[in-house]
Amino acid sequence: MSDDDHGKPNPLLNALSNAVAAVRADDDQLALARAHEALGPKAIEKLDVAEARRQPTVADAVNHLLREQGRPTDPAQLVPGVHAMHTTVDGATGPLPATVYTPEGTAGPLPVVLYFHGGGWVIANKEVYDGGARGLAREANAIVVSVDYRQAPEHRFPSAWDDALAAYRWIAANASTLGGDPERLALAGESAGGNLAVATAVAARDAGLTTPRHVLSVYPVAQTSLNTESYLENAIAKPLNRAMVKWFVDHLVRSEDDLADPRLSLVDAPLAGLPPVTIINARIDPLRSDGAKLEDALRDAGVPVERRDYEGVAHEFFGAAAVLEKARQAQAYAGERLRTALRA
């Protein structure tokens, strides 16, 4: 194989994936997918970790599409009225980089939402997921603290979970220094971060910390079988496919035993007593069934839960509100659920 071919998607599978998307995806989701393809992403599952982390993201595709449309790419213009400040919060073994998003022109103290980005616990960071966190700050009228937890394979399971709980402990103790109300806290996250949000609610309950008022879990990883209905249906979907998830998990776990850990397999966690949960899913996503299974497990445990499944969009749609109508709808829905739960 030549260097030029290294990591390139299989051309037959790529063509098939595009053909399926053309039938199932909304027009604006298709435009975003084409913008991503124009950036020449390699197949993550064929790469080493360093190269995988250099691949163009959906956030890069959003900016590419905005430029094509002659629109600004500055996040402060796309989501006006939200101030972003870089800081650090305490992790399990040291400080973690964080961005604090604060709605402007509102009297405090405001509720505080601790937000965890996606990327399979291996790639991406809070900058890549700026669109979701910033949008939530505006829609929920809350301070959103987006934190970079330690990633695998340098820091394998459960390092990210330990950091997530430590960050929540820090938020509970320091909310007032951010202009926040320490009694009105929530957890949120996307994908791998959607898992961390629920797992942290369980860990906070068990540690006797302030109970979050709400948990927002956007297309979470909630179990570890790769043979669910949506994994099979969306095995070659974009931007997330079944082979990529296996690559992420292989880099994450220390052994097969970790796959059964209830922090990773949330459907097997002791969920009773959690605050209300909102789950958001995309139809064109291997993780859709994870969200449905988590909804069932929460309901069986007596936890109030509401789940919305958005047609015509794919994994990573939530943060792309600058170019996707369904993302705007999902962010508004998530914001309304958080606002209701976080009222003084």
Side-chain angles (χ1 to χ4, degrees):
M1 183 187 294
S2 72
D3 286 346
D4 288 345
D5 290 333
H6 167 67
K8 281 201 172 170
N10 177 297
L12 185 60
L13 291 181
N14 199 48
L16 183 58
S17 177
N18 290 346
V20 171
V23 174
R24 298 179 66 199
D26 292 349
D27 288 347
D28 53 5
Q29 174 70 70
L30 265 180
L32 179 59
R34 290 183 183 124
H36 194 218
E37 190 124 325
L39 300 175
K42 293 180 177 179
I44 296 283
E45 66 274 12
K46 296 182 179 182
L47 306 178
D48 63 33
V49 170
E51 191 170 8
R53 289 173 177 160
R54 293 195 295 269
Q55 293 310 298
T57 66
V58 172
D60 294 327
V62 169
N63 286 337
H64 183 82
L65 186 55
L66 287 169
R67 283 190 287 270
E68 281 187 342
Q69 295 172 351
R71 296 170 57 203
T73 58
D74 176 13
Q77 289 181 261
L78 295 170
V79 188
V82 175
H83 175 262
M85 175 189 75
H86 298 294
T87 187
T88 59
V89 306
D90 289 349
T93 62
L96 303 171
T99 302
V100 180
Y101 300 93
T102 306
E104 296 169 350
T106 50
L110 293 171
V112 183
V113 180
L114 178 59
Y115 169 92
F116 304 112
H117 69 76
W121 300 285
V122 178
I123 64 172
N125 55 31
K126 59 187 174 60
E127 276 70 40
V128 172
Y129 285 79
D130 176 272
R134 192 181 291 264
L136 279 179
R138 180 176 67 180
E139 295 294 339
N141 196 35
I143 296 165
V144 173
V145 182
S146 179
V147 63
D148 274 340
Y149 46 86
R150 288 172 297 158
Q151 289 178 311
E154 296 89 348
H155 306 281
R156 288 184 181 263
F157 179 87
S159 297
W161 285 258
D162 294 343
D163 278 345
L165 177 60
Y168 184 73
R169 192 185 298 275
W170 186 93
I171 292 291
N174 294 276
S176 57
T177 68
L178 304 173
D181 180 349
E183 297 302 314
R184 291 190 291 152
L185 307 179
L187 289 156
E190 291 178 57
S191 196
N195 168 289
L196 289 174
V198 177
T200 301
V202 173
R205 178 201 65 200
D206 294 348
L209 299 177
T210 304
T211 303
R213 296 268 194 98
H214 201 80
V215 181
L216 170 67
S217 189
V218 181
Y219 28 73
V221 177
Q223 54 85 58
T224 53
S225 166
L226 300 180
N227 295 311
T228 65
E229 178 189 352
S230 64
Y231 267 116
L232 300 177
E233 178 189 312
N234 298 295
I236 59 170
K238 295 178 182 177
L240 184 70
N241 62 52
R242 189 168 177 251
M244 280 173 67
V245 177
K246 185 177 188 311
W247 183 92
F248 287 134
V249 172
D250 286 348
H251 283 92
L252 171 70
V253 299
R254 300 160 299 185
S255 74
E256 291 286 310
D257 291 346
D258 286 339
L259 296 176
D261 192 293
R263 287 168 289 187
L264 191 52
S265 187
L266 295 173
V267 296
D268 299 314
L271 300 171
L274 290 193
V277 177
T278 299
I279 301 170
I280 287 174
N281 278 123
R283 291 294 294 176
I284 311 170
D285 184 356
L287 295 179
R288 187 187 74 237
S289 295
D290 278 47
K293 288 176 182 293
L294 180 58
E295 177 190 20
D296 289 344
L298 287 162
R299 193 161 279 128
D300 288 347
V303 178
V305 57
E306 201 171 286
R307 185 174 77 93
R308 283 204 183 164
D309 199 348
Y310 287 84
E311 288 277 358
V313 286
H315 193 75
E316 304 289 20
F317 86 98
F318 185 78
V323 296
L324 295 183
E325 173 58 30
K326 296 280 173 63
R328 291 188 281 276
Q329 293 175 15
Q331 287 190 11
Y333 166 62
E336 186 268 327
R337 292 278 289 169
L338 284 165
R339 266 199 322 276
T340 299
L342 291 167
R343 284 198 182 113

